[in-house]
Amino acid sequence: MYIPFILAALAALTSALPSPQLIDLVAIEEYPDAVRVTAPIDIVKDVVPSVPAAPIRPLTSIISSSKRDLTVEKRDGDCSPYPTGSGPVPSPDTVDAFESFPTFAAMATAAPTPDGYEVVFINSNASLTASDYMGLYTLTTYDTLGCASQCDQASGCQAFNMYIERDPSLNASADNCPNPPSTTNYKCTLWGAPVSSSSLALTPTTKTPLPPACDGYNGPTELGGAINAPPSSGSYMGYQYFPFSQSQGYDPQTCADACNAQTTYDSENLAADGSYMACIFFNAYVLSEDGIPQGLYCSMYNETWDASYGTNYGQYQGDDRYTVSRSYSYALM
């Protein structure tokens, strides 16, 4: 049985290098948090004034194979225990009680919509059937952000289901344990194409389209997380951050402009030996705090890196969870 969740989805900050390329949360926290806003009711029109973009200023110093893993359980009816799920089991332990358990509906409706995804539908007692299945993860909490991170890491993933499943606690046998107690699992499935309500999906969330190209750069290349290049390469030049509270939103061209401005600045402020580092590659992504998008993060490099280095999927700062979404790289033509 399934309980689904269906999703719908410039003031510049300069900083010295975190090591290695960790999101500089200490500096980010100096900015006011972005908040979710509820649209007003009983009015005909509400126009929010646009905020002009601030000038981009360069940093003042330079910082110097696929294998399917399928885990299965034996199913020979020997009454052996299955792993205990992480979710609550309603009382009485029946199908009807599971389907009507209010806690599950509350989880689905309260779960955050990950940045970069759009809601298809929510809290529908059905499961997704399609030909583009890409895998399943059992999570320890009802974690739409974690499920989205799994989709972001899977090449070609376009949608995910986050749902609650009623499973047997034992490997049932008609003779010895025909009706074992249930256990409740949080399931996350990945899909290789956008989904719609006609698919009878459980919590499907579909990715937003790729961002546009940037002038003078090849890309975008989709990444699972933020680029984490080897520190020994010395290619990381630093970052610029553009909080959404002070900018016009997610636009990788802003990062391209910052990369170009950095190269211009460095070429005009040479090192003692007459050399300078040129920005030829950048990673643009949205940084969210506890599911709420905060700003555009632009990491700059003087060397190109492929998608296998996009391994920073997020960090914690105390109890606050920071996640990476809409992470794309661009390389100078």
Side-chain angles (χ1 to χ4, degrees), residues 199-220:
S199 303
L200 273 185
L202 260 184
T203 314
T205 54
T206 296
K207 280 187 176 178
T208 53
L210 290 175
C214 293
D215 295 342
Y217 288 83
N218 293 315

Side-chain angles (χ1 to χ4, degrees), residues 109-142:
T109 55
T113 300
D115 177 70
Y117 290 81
E118 296 176 346
V119 170
V120 177
F121 58 88
I122 189 170
N123 203 32
S124 176
N125 191 22
S127 63
L128 180 61
T129 300
S131 61
D132 46 12
Y133 171 72
M134 295 186 63
L136 177 149
Y137 296 87
T138 299
L139 308 182
T140 57
T141 60
Y142 196 89

Side-chain angles (χ1 to χ4, degrees), residues 237-304:
M237 299 177 64
Y239 73 93
Q240 292 219 33
Y241 176 70
F242 302 90
F244 290 155
S245 60
Q246 303 175 31
S247 73
Q248 299 190 13
Y250 177 75
D251 183 3
Q253 184 63 48
T254 301
C255 294
D257 294 342
C259 188
N260 295 337
Q262 191 62 50
T263 296
T264 298
Y265 176 86
D266 295 340
S267 66
E268 296 172 350
N269 296 269
L270 303 177
D273 62 0
S275 65
Y276 72 95
M277 293 175 68
C279 180
I280 65 170
F281 178 86
F282 66 86
N283 177 197
Y285 61 89
V286 173
L287 181 66
S288 296
E289 179 184 1
D290 298 326
I292 302 176
Q294 298 296 318
L296 173 64
Y297 203 102
C298 308
S299 297
M300 298 178 288
Y301 299 82
N302 77 333
E303 184 178 349
T304 60

Side-chain angles (χ1 to χ4, degrees), residues 58-113:
L59 306 179
T60 56
S61 62
I62 297 304
I63 309 299
S64 318
S65 82
S66 178
K67 177 182 178 181
R68 182 171 182 179
D69 181 7
L70 180 63
T71 302
V72 299
E73 299 288 343
K74 59 182 179 179
R75 295 189 177 275
D76 55 3
D78 64 356
C79 296
S80 59
Y82 285 133
T84 301
S86 301
V89 175
S91 180
D93 186 5
T94 64
V95 171
D96 288 344
F98 182 89
E99 291 182 340
S100 62
F101 193 48
T103 299
F104 295 152
M107 288 181 182
T109 55
T113 300

Side-chain angles (χ1 to χ4, degrees), residues 4-235:
F5 171 85
I6 317 302
L7 294 175
L10 268 179
L13 169 68
T14 62
S15 174
L17 170 68
S19 178
Q21 296 116 76
L22 294 178
I23 303 167
D24 193 354
L25 300 182
V26 173
I28 298 302
E29 286 188 338
E30 295 179 2
Y31 285 84
D33 289 343
V35 297
R36 297 189 188 278
V37 177
T38 301
I41 59 175
D42 296 331
I43 64 172
V44 175
K45 188 176 183 179
D46 181 38
V47 178
V48 178
S50 61
V51 179
I56 296 173
R57 299 181 176 87
L59 306 179
T60 56
S61 62
I62 297 304
I63 309 299
S64 318
S65 82
S66 178
K67 177 182 178 181
R68 182 171 182 179
D69 181 7
L70 180 63
T71 302
V72 299
E73 299 288 343
K74 59 182 179 179
R75 295 189 177 275
D76 55 3
D78 64 356
C79 296
S80 59
Y82 285 133
T84 301
S86 301
V89 175
S91 180
D93 186 5
T94 64
V95 171
D96 288 344
F98 182 89
E99 291 182 340
S100 62
F101 193 48
T103 299
F104 295 152
M107 288 181 182
T109 55
T113 300
D115 177 70
Y117 290 81
E118 296 176 346
V119 170
V120 177
F121 58 88
I122 189 170
N123 203 32
S124 176
N125 191 22
S127 63
L128 180 61
T129 300
S131 61
D132 46 12
Y133 171 72
M134 295 186 63
L136 177 149
Y137 296 87
T138 299
L139 308 182
T140 57
T141 60
Y142 196 89
D143 185 7
T144 53
L145 301 179
C147 194
S149 179
Q150 294 293 347
C151 188
D152 290 341
Q153 296 172 52
S155 177
C157 181
Q158 293 297 309
F160 72 82
N161 275 183
M162 183 74 232
Y163 58 93
I164 302 170
E165 184 174 87
R166 183 177 188 263
D167 292 323
S169 60
L170 303 177
N171 186 4
S173 164
D175 295 328
N176 300 319
C177 51
N179 188 27
S182 75
T183 191
T184 301
N185 283 301
Y186 300 114
K187 298 293 183 69
C188 164
T189 57
L190 310 184
W191 303 88
V195 298
S196 66
S197 57
S198 62
S199 303
L200 273 185
L202 260 184
T203 314
T205 54
T206 296
K207 280 187 176 178
T208 53
L210 290 175
C214 293
D215 295 342
Y217 288 83
N218 293 315
T221 297
E222 187 174 13
L223 307 175
I227 289 289
N228 221 349
S232 58
S233 69
S235 70

